[in-house]
Amino acid sequence: MNEVLVTGGAGYIGSHAVQELIRAGVKTVVLDNLSSGHLKAVRCPCFYQGDIADSALVKHIITRHKIRSVIHFAARSLVAESYARPELYFYENTVKSFMFLEAARQAGAENIVFSSTAAVYGNPPPGPITERTGLESVNPYGASKRMIEDYLEWMGKVHQTSWVALRYFNAAGSSLDGSLGEDHRPETHLIPLVMHTALGLRPELSIYGSDYPTPDGTCIRDYINVVDLARAHVKALEGLEQGMASGVFNLGTGQGYSVMEIIEKTCRLVGHELPMTFKERRNGDPPILVADSSEIRSALDWFPQYSDLDTILGSAWKWHSKHLSGYSL
């Protein structure tokens, strides 16, 4: 595999993908503006601090390193923030991605792996979600990602760009060696918030919604270990470089867990109960989101190796208990 450019490679999922690329012997270049990523999370020596909308910089990087393949993570990803500031999300995610992808194409990039999201499905009908499940924009974040998928499809048709969009469900956990983990500012993901509460870094855990049509009244999600997500990006890039057809793939395990199941399992892991309070549901939160990932299993021989709940929670606890201030330590 030739040298690869990773945008957002200082972020949670991007940094794990860079680590997997390095382990696979792939020379990797990271571009990140560090607006939400962490320099300490970058696991390769070739790092550029800059914005994906800086077309001159993008062209310089791709030309200098003779890059033909790109993994594009850089984006904002807070659903609540996207409701409050939709203009920010359509600019930062969609407009800037258009600018980046065009500059990359003009400079010679031929293969794109795009970090998409299950949020493009909105509020899907009951049952495992396949790639043929109807798309629905119920929040600006999901809509901003869906537009990029549409643009990639047209890049393929008009410019013969090869691409894969990976729609992943709930990224969770940390690297198995404890060197990389989840450090968002602010933190909105359930498992880190549970860990922070268990460590006494938060006074209590807020649970949004107790009246969902689920067995215990809390919403159910498909949690996939970030290492398995990273492996899927490497597999997708290898597939494109070997001539695989462009398209979209779901990334999940096919197994859903409720909020209360996550909390109860964590309590057993850490050996004590957690203080918690129930609050109203948040806008746009579907009761159940579980992936059917049979397409990528068949096409790329990918399957989740580290996404059982014990491994996810154990790796998250390993990271958070040793990095009480995240990458600030």
Side-chain angles (χ1 to χ4, degrees), residues 150 194 310:
D150 289 342
V194 170
D310 285 335

Side-chain angles (χ1 to χ4, degrees), residues 84-162:
R85 303 180 67 189
E87 69 286 349
L88 176 68
Y89 273 66
F90 288 115
Y91 178 69
E92 289 290 331
N93 290 1
T94 310
V95 174
K96 283 190 175 183
S97 288
F98 290 169
M99 297 171 70
F100 166 72
L101 291 169
E102 178 58 13
R105 183 191 68 80
Q106 290 181 5
E110 301 170 349
N111 305 304
I112 310 291
V113 176
F114 172 56
S115 167
S116 192
T117 172
V120 299
Y121 295 114
N123 291 300
I129 299 166
T130 74
E131 290 82 355
R132 289 166 296 284
T133 298
L135 305 184
E136 180 185 11
S137 298
V138 299
N139 58 64
Y141 167 61
S144 72
K145 291 282 193 170
R146 180 179 174 182
M147 288 181 180
I148 302 167
E149 287 190 12
D150 289 342
Y151 185 62
L152 285 169
E153 185 171 0
W154 281 105
M155 284 184 71
K157 291 177 179 178
V158 176
H159 300 296
Q160 290 72 55
T161 302
S162 297

Side-chain angles (χ1 to χ4, degrees), residues 2 33 71 124 152 192 228 253 288 325:
N2 294 323
N33 64 10
I71 304 180
L152 285 169
D228 284 327
T253 67
I288 302 173
S325 299

Side-chain angles (χ1 to χ4, degrees), residues 48 56-57 83 114 129 165 219 225 262 286:
Y48 291 85
L57 175 60
Y83 273 112
F114 172 56
I129 299 166
C219 58
N225 193 300
I262 296 293

Side-chain angles (χ1 to χ4, degrees), residues 287-303:
I288 302 173
L289 287 176
V290 176
D292 178 335
S293 296
S294 55
E295 293 273 353
I296 193 169
R297 293 182 186 223
S298 174
L300 293 175
D301 192 30
W302 171 91
F303 59 93

